[in-house]
Amino acid sequence: MTGKIFVVGMGPGGQEHISPKAMEVMQTSDIIAGYKTYIDLIKPILPEKEYASSGMKKEVERCEEVMQLAKEGKTVSLISSGDAGIYGMAGIMIEVVNAHNSNIDVEVIPGISAATSAASLLGAPLMNDFVTLSLSDLLTPWELIVKRLHAAGSGDFVIALYNPRSKTRIKNLDVAIETLLQYQKPETPVGFVKHAMREKQEVHYTTLGELKNCDIDMFTTVIIGNSRTEMVGGKMVTIRGYKI
Ligand code: SAH
């Protein structure tokens, strides 16, 4: 008897942003597994379930544990914040199952990612072409991140920055700002959201020139406008060009 693995994107935080499908698979799973912070968000919503929580930076071990449970015949939901396939657990889970030559079925359930939840709170900054960039150089070489910043800047893309700053990565955001200032004006609108759709939510507007003085942490998503981004009625909007 083999079980099944769902990798579930649970959205930014609150229950109202969890898709009905994500809720359904969590409800029908034998066990819900994931990083402790996310389990703590789900437990009050589904108090009757069995949980397997783990620490941060133990992603591969977490997936191996999930695979083991599925091998025993359990249906397991591995939860990940936002969308599980965007800097989340989905890819790792598929790789781990493949590395063990297992035939366990892995199904990915999509969720609302930080870029779109933050964008909705700021207005409509992602109205035209945009990129997401993670400033974490734990798994991606810093030189490659800088190369991508240049590409995004020279391409005049709106940029959603994930993992903008942590306690150990203080300088990365400063270098990113300096790099983008080579392509965009200091007045370029920037918005950032902390703890989107969670209790401690904060929504802020600034400019590319002022961003280095802002209080940005790892719970923040930063959206940097392009040459067509404006503040419209107090909200950040990237103009697509409709005649209004
Ligand atoms: N899979 C997640 C992203 C994980 S990477 C998703 O699709 O949203 C972790 C980064 O995502 C954080 O450093 C932060 O930049 C961003 N993030 C995740 N949840 C957030 C939230 N509720 N509010 C603001 N930013 C968030």
Side-chain angles (χ1 to χ4, degrees), residues 12 81-83 86-87 113-114 162-164 193 195-196 218-221:
S81 80
D83 185 286
I86 300 180
Y87 313 116
S113 191
Y162 285 69
N163 300 302
V193 178
H195 302 283
M218 64 182 292
F219 303 104
T220 312
T221 297

Side-chain angles (χ1 to χ4, degrees), residues 15 18 179 233:
Q15 181 175 3
I18 301 174
T179 307

Side-chain angles (χ1 to χ4, degrees), residues 173-235:
L173 181 62
D174 296 345
V175 177
I177 295 166
E178 288 309 316
T179 307
L180 294 171
L181 277 168
Q182 296 173 31
Y183 303 96
Q184 301 290 1
K185 295 194 206 94
E187 305 78 51
T188 303
V190 169
F192 64 93
V193 178
K194 286 187 184 187
H195 302 283
M197 276 85 179
R198 294 183 192 167
E199 224 175 276
K200 291 187 277 178
Q201 172 177 299
E202 288 178 35
V203 179
H204 300 271
Y205 298 98
T206 182
T207 61
L208 188 54
E210 289 298 322
L211 182 58
K212 62 177 177 304
N213 303 319
C214 296
D215 180 22
I216 308 287
D217 60 18
M218 64 182 292
F219 303 104
T220 312
T221 297
V222 181
I223 301 190
I224 300 171
N226 70 0
S227 62
R228 302 295 312 275
T229 308
E230 295 174 14
M231 292 304 291
V232 180
K235 291 189 186 290

Side-chain angles (χ1 to χ4, degrees), residues 65-239:
E65 210 181 298
V66 167
M67 196 188 62
Q68 208 46 50
L69 291 165
K71 270 188 175 167
E72 291 164 15
K74 300 270 198 310
T75 298
V76 192
S77 277
L78 172 60
I79 60 174
S80 195
S81 80
D83 185 286
I86 300 180
Y87 313 116
M89 297 298 294
I92 315 167
M93 193 66 245
I94 294 169
E95 282 186 86
V96 164
V97 167
N98 184 61
H100 285 78
N101 290 319
S102 170
N103 61 352
I104 296 166
D105 187 29
V106 179
E107 187 174 333
V108 182
I109 310 296
I112 301 172
S113 191
T116 49
S117 53
S120 69
L121 293 164
L122 291 165
L126 307 181
M127 282 290 289
N128 212 326
D129 299 336
F130 72 98
V131 296
T132 71
L133 265 169
S134 166
L135 293 189
S136 168
D137 52 359
L138 280 176
L139 298 168
T140 305
W142 178 241
E143 300 71 43
L144 183 56
I145 296 172
V146 172
K147 185 177 168 182
R148 287 176 178 164
L149 282 162
H150 278 287
S154 65
D156 195 25
F157 285 95
V158 173
I159 302 171
L161 286 182
Y162 285 69
N163 300 302
R165 186 177 268 159
S166 75
K167 288 192 186 91
T168 51
R169 274 182 284 108
I170 305 190
K171 286 269 162 253
N172 295 16
L173 181 62
D174 296 345
V175 177
I177 295 166
E178 288 309 316
T179 307
L180 294 171
L181 277 168
Q182 296 173 31
Y183 303 96
Q184 301 290 1
K185 295 194 206 94
E187 305 78 51
T188 303
V190 169
F192 64 93
V193 178
K194 286 187 184 187
H195 302 283
M197 276 85 179
R198 294 183 192 167
E199 224 175 276
K200 291 187 277 178
Q201 172 177 299
E202 288 178 35
V203 179
H204 300 271
Y205 298 98
T206 182
T207 61
L208 188 54
E210 289 298 322
L211 182 58
K212 62 177 177 304
N213 303 319
C214 296
D215 180 22
I216 308 287
D217 60 18
M218 64 182 292
F219 303 104
T220 312
T221 297
V222 181
I223 301 190
I224 300 171
N226 70 0
S227 62
R228 302 295 312 275
T229 308
E230 295 174 14
M231 292 304 291
V232 180
K235 291 189 186 290
M236 184 179 173
V237 178
T238 299
I239 307 297

